[in-house]
Amino acid sequence: MNHEPEPQYGDELRHPAAGPRLSSGPSPVELAEMALVEAELDTRWPETKIEPSLTRIATLMDLLGSPQQSYPAIHIAGTNGKTSVTRMIDALLTALHRRTGRITSPHLQLATERISIDNAPITPARYVETYRELQPFIEMIDAQSAEVGGPKMSKFEVLTGMAYAAFAEAPVDVAVVETGLGGTWDATNVIDGQVAVITPIGLDHTDYLGTDLTSIAGEKAGIIKRAPESLIPRDTVAVIAEQDPEAMEVLLRRAVEVDAAVAREGGEFRVLARQIAIGGQQLELQGLGGVYDEIFLPLHGEHQARNAVLALAAVEAFFGAGADRQLDIEAIRAGFASVTSPGRLERMRSAPTIFIDAAHNPAGAQALASTLTAEFDFRKLVGVVSVLADKDADGILTALEPVLDEIVVTANGSPRAMDVDLLADLAVQRFGDERVITAPTLPDALETAIAIAEEVGESGEMVSGAGVVVTGSVVTAGATRALFGKDPA
């Protein structure tokens, strides 16, 4: 059993309608203005719908004076681990005294999380102000697109434009940019990252990216670009996680085509050793510039260790570290020690222990299951699961079945959530009828799961070492975070 000290959060769950509890204070007026902006943005294409074109976002950038060209960037694509890697890179750059702007998606609780400056989400007031400043240009592009029978700018295109403009105004020293969906046609790809990071690639978003790893890798590889001509010549560096051979072949071919240098996990960098520690893990990492030891990472799981060495190599590549130059090891230690990744096996409370995890595809669910098995010793573990209708729910359930004693299936409040009865039918096929319970809402599901975890055993005493894990979707993790009164991060 992991015996880390357990922070005691309030045991009361908050209804999702109450929203997140913001301790540091945007006013009700600011939140209302932001809600109005969100309502306007929600009339546009959602980020689950894309068109193979960068014309609209590129036009917006031109009208704004190309803000995305005013700072260097590290660009991150892949299927799993993108957000954690992005946040790790951000933390390392901050520890090395660089002012950062960060794009991540989707958000867990509040849309401001998508645009961070100095490791913190922009305020709702700044979010609204940025949107209103760009709105005339956005509407101009909408009109131009409509004239030729095209769509308005998508919500994700608008958010990307807002982020790049906010970074230029700050100004930041470096942008750390996570793609939304794919790579080649992702709105973020109007930026030229001098470091392109590819996390592990798997099958996800197959309706848009392709039905096989080769096709999906081809889309992700689009962020690896030829370095633009400049007075100070530089190479683009592709930093690539371990991949299935067919995906790796596509990525390497792309790197050759655009004359990019390549650093590969398992070749130029790797995890040398990891040891489970209180509150996370202790790592020894082989980076591009040598060995970095005594690294404490306050996140659980082998996959997070591999995310860490990928982030390290990316930051080394950004600064030009290599065999004859290592980054300051104390800064690297401090950076990793400061890392947070909300919604990634994040503890909400204890007695019983409740974790949330944003796993939303089979690979993510498998990583979660492996970590729960390897690093914890729950005597009873209850799952609360809600999955979006366009996801591989059966694959997620299959990965989770070996580690869950019982499962409570529910709806997370999103209109995209899979019907509870349909999800329950899939769960029964994997778990058996006696291990599956349904609940109409997430608060109901949590109360049910907690009651199961706290059931009295045959001895008449509550089973010690019981836990609950809430997973299946980023939306599910975010809604649960709000129920426990956690602030957006």
Side-chain angles (χ1 to χ4, degrees):
M1 185 76 168
N2 186 297
H3 294 296
E4 66 182 274
E6 297 175 338
Q8 301 289 332
Y9 299 108
D11 285 350
E12 263 103 63
L13 299 176
R14 306 175 74 236
H15 194 278
R21 184 181 62 207
L22 298 174
S23 60
S24 57
S27 70
V29 171
E30 290 172 338
L31 290 174
E33 290 176 345
M34 181 174 169
L36 181 61
V37 168
E38 283 296 283
E40 292 179 26
L41 290 173
D42 285 340
T43 65
R44 299 176 176 273
W45 272 8
E47 56 200 306
T48 53
K49 186 174 182 179
I50 62 173
E51 181 190 41
S53 171
L54 296 177
T55 301
R56 293 176 299 279
I57 182 65
T59 302
L60 178 62
M61 292 295 97
D62 289 343
L63 291 174
L64 296 176
S66 300
Q68 82 284 11
Q69 295 179 8
S70 64
Y71 38 77
I74 298 176
H75 205 177
I76 301 98
T79 302
N80 289 296
K82 287 185 300 179
T83 298
S84 292
V85 169
T86 300
R87 294 180 71 101
M88 289 178 191
I89 290 171
D90 194 352
L92 293 175
L93 289 169
T94 299
L96 290 161
H97 311 294
R98 296 301 188 273
R99 189 176 198 199
T100 59
R102 182 181 74 223
I103 295 176
T104 54
S105 65
H107 60 275
L108 280 170
Q109 294 168 257
L110 203 60
T112 52
E113 299 167 30
R114 294 168 176 257
I115 306 172
S116 291
I117 296 174
D118 295 329
N119 274 286
I122 62 172
T123 64
R126 183 68 186 120
Y127 186 92
V128 171
E129 180 184 355
T130 302
Y131 172 71
R132 296 302 182 197
E133 289 173 353
L134 270 59
Q135 189 174 6
F137 303 101
I138 294 166
E139 291 174 349
M140 186 186 309
I141 295 166
D142 288 344
Q144 292 175 348
S145 182
E147 287 178 0
V148 295
K152 297 194 300 184
M153 293 191 74
S154 70
K155 181 176 181 178
F156 189 72
E157 287 174 331
V158 173
L159 291 174
T160 299
M162 289 169 57
Y164 287 156
F167 295 166
E169 186 170 331
V172 302
D173 298 321
V174 55
V176 188
V177 178
E178 176 188 351
T179 57
L181 201 160
T184 301
W185 303 115
D186 189 77
T188 63
N189 206 28
V190 291
I191 206 164
D192 294 320
Q194 66 184 63
V195 179
V197 183
I198 309 293
T199 71
I201 293 172
L203 295 176
D204 201 6
H205 301 294
T206 54
D207 290 348
Y208 298 100
L209 304 181
T211 57
D212 56 75
L213 287 180
T214 299
S215 300
I216 295 173
E219 286 296 313
K220 309 286 187 184
I223 70 165
I224 307 172
K225 300 179 182 177
R226 188 178 303 276
E229 294 184 5
S230 63
L231 293 176
I232 303 175
R234 63 168 177 82
D235 292 328
T236 298
V237 183
V239 179
I240 305 175
E242 285 189 4
Q243 307 286 347
D244 286 332
E246 58 266 45
M248 182 63 82
E249 181 181 353
V250 173
L251 299 173
L252 294 179
R253 189 185 308 120
R254 171 67 177 182
V256 170
E257 289 172 355
V258 299
D259 198 27
V262 173
R264 293 163 295 180
E265 181 187 3
E268 289 74 23
F269 61 93
R270 68 183 67 214
V271 177
L272 294 177
R274 61 180 293 266
Q275 183 176 354
I276 298 170
I278 295 174
Q281 54 191 308
Q282 198 80 11
L283 306 175
E284 183 178 2
L285 306 177
Q286 172 65 58
L288 306 180
V291 175
Y292 297 78
D293 61 1
E294 298 181 17
I295 302 294
F296 174 69
L297 180 69
L299 301 175
H300 298 285
E302 180 185 359
H303 62 294
Q304 294 290 17
R306 296 176 65 178
N307 287 340
V309 79
L310 188 65
L312 172 63
V315 173
E316 287 184 297
F318 179 79
F319 286 108
D324 58 348
R325 183 187 175 199
Q326 186 176 45
L327 299 179
D328 179 63
I329 193 165
E330 291 301 329
I332 296 301
R333 287 170 179 158
F336 275 124
S338 72
V339 167
T340 61
S341 195
R344 277 70 185 175
L345 204 57
E346 182 183 14
R347 187 189 296 268
M348 293 290 99
R349 59 164 264 189
S350 60
T353 298
I354 299 178
F355 282 115
I356 62 171
D357 194 89
H360 58 278
N361 56 37
Q366 183 58 60
L368 169 61
S370 297
T371 302
L372 290 169
T373 299
E375 301 189 18
F376 298 90
D377 187 23
F378 289 109
R379 297 188 182 183
K380 177 192 283 187
L381 187 59
V382 183
V384 173
V385 177
S386 177
V387 181
L388 298 186
D390 60 345
K391 296 297 182 179
D392 182 2
D394 185 61
I396 293 170
L397 294 168
T398 300
L400 294 175
E401 189 277 329
V403 300
L404 299 180
D405 294 286
E406 295 185 55
I407 184 172
V408 183
V409 298
T410 189
N412 55 30
S414 168
R416 295 172 54 208
M418 179 174 286
D419 177 77
V420 175
D421 290 335
L422 177 58
L423 183 58
D425 288 343
L426 292 173
V428 166
Q429 293 175 31
R430 297 299 172 189
F431 287 76
D433 186 67
E434 69 282 356
R435 294 167 62 196
V436 178
I437 300 166
T438 62
T441 69
L442 191 54
D444 293 331
L446 279 165
E447 290 176 5
T448 299
I450 291 169
I452 295 171
E454 292 179 337
E455 282 178 352
V456 174
E458 294 181 1
S459 64
E461 297 181 358
M462 190 172 70
V463 176
S464 62
V468 175
V469 59
V470 186
T471 189
S473 168
V474 175
V475 177
T476 305
T480 306
R481 222 173 176 271
L483 287 172
F484 282 96
K486 303 284 281 184
D487 291 346

